[in-house]
Amino acid sequence: MNIDQSNHGRGDSFLSESLGGKIFIAFSFSVFILFSCLYAIYTWNVSYDVFYEADFLHIPFIAGLIDGRMSVRDFMTVFDEHLFPGYNLILFVNYILFKISGNFTVVLSAVSVVISAIIVVVFVIRNWSSHYVGLYFTTFGCSFVLLSPTNNAFWGMALAAQVGTLIVLLVIFAFCHAVCDNRGFVFPLFLVPVAFIFFLGGYSAGFMAVGVVGFSLMFRSRPLRSCAIYTLATFIGSVILYSFLVYKYGALFSNVPSEASFSLLILIKFALVMSAASVLGSTLIEQMGRPDVYFYVGALLLMVTALAVADVSRRILRRNARKLDVFVLLLITYSIITILFVSFFRFRNGVEGGTGQWYATHIKFLPVAIFIWLGVKIDRGRAGGWRTLLAMIGFVALTASVLVGFRGDWIKSFYVREWKAGVASYALDILATPEDQLPPQGPATLLWDPVQVKRGLELFYRNNLWVFRSRDIKVKGLQEGRFLSATQPAFVACPVGTTSLTFTVTGAPGDGLLKVSSAAALQEIPLGQSVVFAFPTIDAVARLSLEAAKKAGEGADAADGGPSAAIEIRDLECHLRGL
């Protein structure tokens, strides 16, 4: 099958067009650069050196790197039906270059988002075969979606999936060239198992659907049938291998809903919310508390998607489709199948769960495909015609929806760094707390299982990783660097291996007691003394807190029963072994 090989794109001659064409190209790239700069500002706003949440799933891998005894299970890092050794490869680079930095993952996430936008916009420009007005609208819409703050700075498994979508794009490009240029391909096939096993994880159902649709399109052409069979075999083999690895090391069917818990209505609502979140993000539902607007936007998006699929499919069946038609069809296939599979396995999280920010890395291609289809319609339609008018209305409505999501996550970005700093600040608290006294999972435990977090922080502390990469004394909670408040404890982290902590504390003995504790020891000291606190283990992190005087009124504030003023901590020193 040879689908309209003539004039399906401008290719290398694109830049040799008229002055008007060059002006539109310049406008298109200017818009892209503008959105890239805004995304860079957004990335700066949300960047902070924090290691949290699902990052702690990968602690066994980091431990294996350190002690040189890594098992296959440690490298695979499974979470239910997800398999993400790809993030371990990212962590390996992070460990070698930066000794684990949260800023590295933020920058890498932003780079992958920008690269994804670049290759989509360049592909559209090179294969645009109509007027330039539609091209400008299309590149504007694609840049607006792909570089929106709704594509959050990811970490952990979500960052691995974000890198995996770059491979998805490369394979889709290969399908477009194969189908429209009537020539096979080999190199992208090597990337298929890499995407499945290392990066996409349980979100690879959409990629499998892309392979099936691509196979169907290629198999229609006799010269491409052998390549089509190899391609399908590669996809099927990758799925089988991935399923085997998850079955062996994870829980392949852990999230399959039971018959009693299944609800078709909630599933449909979840899918609508997830579709709408591709443009609205999550901020709107967080502020309103109601998902109604997501239902309406999601329904409209899916209606337009159905029209786009019918339109490009008709041209493909008539053998007069162009590369952008195939591109739109494959992008929609990837996004819609991902939405359906995620909705089936996650609808029990409630409809609000459909706004999960980690889904955006996959479903962002749905509005991209719609923008491309509408741009082509605007260009191919007759000026003033009703089809052109409807396409323009659809474009404006879609742009307005993206603007709502852009604005919401842009405003929220100014508070993200402070929030991350608050989460990361609990690291010393956790290290100084015995394992059986840790608080329940939440911000105070870096948003993950308390025991797993504590053991991960101990690994970082003992090996000078993350915030412990420097061997200086770290202090948290002392006001002006030296005053201990009666209402807030302080924490002191000495270099690993420290045998004792010494300091002088002001105050009168009758004012109360100073409690100094670590995860393995506790010492109560009257105020106004020189303190020597011995660490029984190599984990030299101490908690300092004030306890009120036993008798009210004796050097105490009758209002709150505590010390009348903050005490001063002076001459704080850590003493290492052998010194």
Side-chain angles (χ1 to χ4, degrees):
M1 178 183 67
N2 188 351
I3 300 182
D4 192 13
Q5 297 181 58
S6 61
N7 192 33
H8 58 262
R10 298 181 185 272
D12 295 334
S13 64
F14 189 76
L15 296 178
S16 62
E17 291 293 334
S18 64
L19 177 62
K22 292 180 180 179
I23 291 176
F24 272 106
I25 295 171
F27 274 132
S28 299
F29 279 112
S30 298
V31 169
F32 180 84
I33 293 172
L34 172 63
F35 285 124
S36 296
C37 292
L38 292 175
Y39 196 79
I41 296 173
Y42 159 78
T43 302
W44 172 260
N45 289 341
V46 302
S47 63
Y48 190 82
D49 188 5
V50 60
F51 192 93
Y52 66 132
E53 208 187 46
D55 280 334
F56 283 95
L57 280 173
H58 302 265
I59 289 297
F61 170 78
I62 299 175
L65 278 180
I66 294 171
D67 61 26
R69 293 179 296 179
M70 186 187 305
S71 66
V72 176
R73 184 182 297 274
D74 294 339
F75 177 72
M76 287 300 172
T77 305
V78 295
F79 181 66
D80 293 337
E81 72 275 15
H82 295 297
L83 187 72
F84 282 107
Y87 187 62
N88 285 333
L89 300 180
I90 296 172
L91 272 179
F92 174 74
V93 177
N94 197 349
Y95 170 75
I96 295 297
L97 296 181
F98 306 105
K99 290 191 173 181
I100 306 299
S101 169
N103 289 322
F104 172 77
T105 56
V106 171
V107 172
L108 182 61
S109 176
V111 169
S112 66
V113 168
V114 173
I115 291 176
S116 175
I118 288 174
I119 57 182
V120 168
V121 169
V122 170
F123 182 84
V124 169
I125 291 176
R126 286 183 57 85
N127 294 282
W128 196 262
S129 58
S130 190
H131 302 98
Y132 293 105
V133 176
L135 173 62
Y136 178 72
F137 281 118
T138 301
T139 53
F140 173 87
C142 292
S143 301
F144 202 12
V145 170
L146 294 173
L147 297 174
S148 169
T150 54
N151 297 300
N152 299 125
F154 292 118
W155 63 97
M157 298 183 295
L159 175 55
Q162 200 169 51
V163 175
T165 57
L166 296 178
I167 299 178
V168 173
L169 284 177
L170 293 177
V171 174
I172 287 177
F173 293 160
F175 276 128
C176 292
H177 287 292
V179 171
C180 294
D181 294 343
N182 207 32
R183 63 187 183 195
F185 57 85
V186 175
F187 172 71
L189 292 181
F190 294 102
L191 299 176
V192 171
V194 173
F196 272 103
I197 297 170
F198 285 85
F199 294 105
L200 291 178
Y203 303 111
S204 55
F207 192 34
M208 183 65 214
V210 167
V212 173
V213 174
F215 161 79
S216 302
L217 296 178
M218 292 172 63
F219 196 78
R220 298 178 67 202
S221 174
R222 186 178 298 275
L224 295 178
R225 286 183 179 176
S226 59
C227 181
I229 294 174
Y230 295 147
T231 300
L232 184 63
T234 303
F235 272 87
I236 294 176
S238 300
V239 172
I240 293 174
L241 179 58
Y242 176 83
S243 302
F244 170 77
L245 291 173
V246 176
Y247 181 78
K248 182 175 178 61
Y249 297 109
L252 185 60
F253 304 108
S254 61
N255 285 300
V256 176
S258 63
E259 184 176 352
S261 65
F262 183 78
S263 171
L264 180 60
L265 178 60
I266 297 179
L267 187 152
I268 293 174
K269 289 182 176 180
F270 190 100
L272 291 175
V273 170
M274 190 173 172
S275 302
S278 64
V279 292
L280 297 178
S282 61
T283 305
L284 194 61
I285 199 170
E286 293 170 354
Q287 294 175 346
M288 295 179 58
R290 295 180 60 188
D292 302 34
V293 64
Y294 284 79
F295 296 153
Y296 302 137
V297 173
L300 289 174
L301 273 176
L302 294 180
M303 288 172 58
V304 177
T305 298
L307 293 175
V309 170
D311 182 54
V312 298
S313 298
R314 176 178 55 81
R315 284 198 293 274
I316 290 174
L317 292 175
R318 293 180 177 179
R319 302 177 184 271
N320 65 347
R322 298 174 181 179
K323 287 181 182 177
L324 288 181
D325 294 323
V326 180
F327 188 52
V328 166
L329 178 62
L330 293 179
L331 286 181
I332 290 176
T333 299
Y334 179 75
S335 299
I336 291 297
I337 298 302
T338 299
I339 290 172
L340 291 177
F341 266 76
V342 172
S343 299
F344 179 76
F345 288 106
R346 292 291 188 268
F347 73 90
R348 288 172 295 176
N349 294 341
V351 293
E352 293 83 0
T355 63
Q357 296 169 336
W358 46 91
Y359 300 144
T361 191
H362 306 280
I363 59 177
K364 63 187 177 185
F365 296 120
L366 180 62
V368 168
I370 295 175
F371 268 126
I372 295 174
W373 180 70
L374 290 174
V376 172
K377 281 295 180 184
I378 292 172
D379 253 8
R380 291 180 180 176
R382 180 171 53 84
W386 66 272
R387 289 186 177 88
T388 304
L389 181 61
L390 288 178
M392 288 294 297
I393 294 174
F395 183 92
V396 171
L398 185 57
T399 302
S401 300
V402 177
L403 179 61
V404 171
F406 189 105
R407 180 180 179 275
D409 279 274
W410 178 266
I411 294 174
K412 186 169 69 175
S413 70
F414 292 99
Y415 306 94
V416 170
R417 181 181 294 186
E418 182 181 353
W419 176 79
K420 286 184 177 180
V423 172
S425 69
Y426 287 105
L428 299 187
D429 309 42
I430 297 170
L431 283 174
T433 304
E435 196 170 281
D436 59 352
Q437 297 178 22
L438 291 170
Q441 180 174 326
T445 59
L446 278 62
L447 303 172
W448 204 248
D449 175 71
V451 174
Q452 194 170 8
V453 168
K454 181 173 176 61
R455 293 175 183 176
L457 292 178
E458 288 173 347
L459 178 73
F460 286 171
Y461 170 74
R462 294 169 186 174
N463 293 277
N464 303 317
L465 300 176
W466 188 37
V467 294
F468 309 104
R469 65 176 68 90
S470 62
R471 291 179 59 83
D472 56 345
I473 301 175
K474 293 174 177 59
V475 181
K476 172 198 170 186
L478 288 182
Q479 300 175 5
E480 300 180 14
R482 57 195 177 125
F483 293 103
L484 176 62
S485 169
T487 58
Q488 178 182 348
F491 298 87
V492 179
C494 295
V496 63
T498 295
T499 56
S500 62
L501 171 68
T502 63
F503 57 90
T504 301
V505 57
T506 62
D511 283 345
L513 291 175
L514 173 66
K515 287 188 174 183
V516 184
S517 62
S518 68
L522 170 64
Q523 186 175 349
E524 295 183 349
I525 304 157
L527 301 185
Q529 296 186 8
S530 294
V531 178
V532 179
F533 181 75
F535 292 104
T537 67
I538 63 173
D539 298 323
V541 182
R543 182 181 191 270
L544 283 62
S545 62
L546 288 175
E547 184 178 271
K550 294 183 179 180
K551 294 182 180 180
E554 186 179 355
D557 187 340
D560 57 13
S564 57
I567 64 170
E568 183 179 6
I569 304 294
R570 297 180 298 179
D571 305 323
L572 191 145
E573 293 183 1
C574 297
H575 302 275
L576 297 172
R577 299 180 186 277
L579 297 180

